[in-house]
Amino acid sequence: MISDLDNFYLQHSEPINSTLLALRTIILKQDAAITTEWKYRMPFFCYKGKMFCYLWVHKTNGQPYIGFVEGKHLNHPGLIIEKRARMKIMLFNANEDLPVVIIEELLQRALDLYRSGQIKID
C-alpha cells in the first residue's frame, strides 16, 4: 500500500510532480537531521523533530511552493506572506529551472534559526 506521503507526489501531473520531487531532494540534502513527515495532509520537513518547511501546490495559481514555517524571520524578495502571520512561501514555475542556489540559501537561513536557538527545539 502506498503511503499518504508517497501518494502526495504521485497525484500530481508533470511538470509539477518533478518539481516537487526535486524540491524534496534539495531540502533533504541540506542537513542529515532533516526528516520527512506527513502532517496536516501535506509533506512537512522537520529539523530535529521541529517543523521547518513543507511542500504544497498553490490553490489559486497551481504553482508548487516551499512554505517556511518561521518565514516571518526570513527576508527575501521571492518570499510571499499572503494572509499568513508566521509562514512565508516561495512559488516556483514548474516549467522553468529551479533557482537552486537561492533555495539552498533560504533553507540554510531557515535552519540557522533553529541551530542558533532563535527558534527553540524541544
Side-chain angles (χ1 to χ4, degrees):
M1 180 175 212
I2 297 174
S3 71
D4 290 335
L5 184 57
D6 290 333
N7 191 50
F8 170 79
Y9 297 101
L10 295 172
Q11 72 181 343
H12 297 0
S13 58
E14 291 299 338
I16 292 173
N17 184 46
S18 292
T19 301
L20 291 168
L21 290 171
L23 289 168
R24 177 181 69 177
T25 300
I26 293 167
I27 293 166
L28 290 173
K29 77 175 193 176
Q30 298 308 304
D31 192 292
I34 296 173
T35 58
T36 306
E37 296 185 29
W38 185 248
K39 294 181 179 269
Y40 309 106
R41 298 177 50 204
M42 62 180 64
F44 264 88
F45 298 87
C46 299
Y47 177 71
K48 295 186 177 179
K50 185 88 168 177
M51 294 186 297
F52 102 95
C53 72
Y54 63 95
L55 295 178
W56 199 244
V57 177
H58 200 278
K59 288 180 174 71
T60 306
N61 61 29
Q63 290 181 307
Y65 68 83
I66 296 176
F68 292 91
V69 173
E70 297 295 340
K72 69 181 181 180
H73 298 286
L74 301 173
N75 291 312
H76 186 277
L79 292 174
I80 304 165
I81 197 159
E82 291 184 324
K83 295 177 183 177
R84 301 166 184 89
R86 178 178 169 198
M87 301 183 191
K88 288 185 183 178
I89 66 170
M90 178 172 261
L91 295 164
F92 303 100
N93 182 333
N95 293 308
E96 296 177 2
D97 289 343
L98 289 172
V100 177
V101 172
I102 293 169
I103 295 167
E104 288 178 337
E105 175 187 314
L106 285 169
L107 289 167
Q108 287 300 318
R109 286 173 45 199
L111 287 167
D112 285 345
L113 295 170
Y114 300 84
R115 293 174 183 144
S116 70
Q118 185 174 351
I119 306 300
K120 301 291 183 223
I121 299 173
D122 298 331

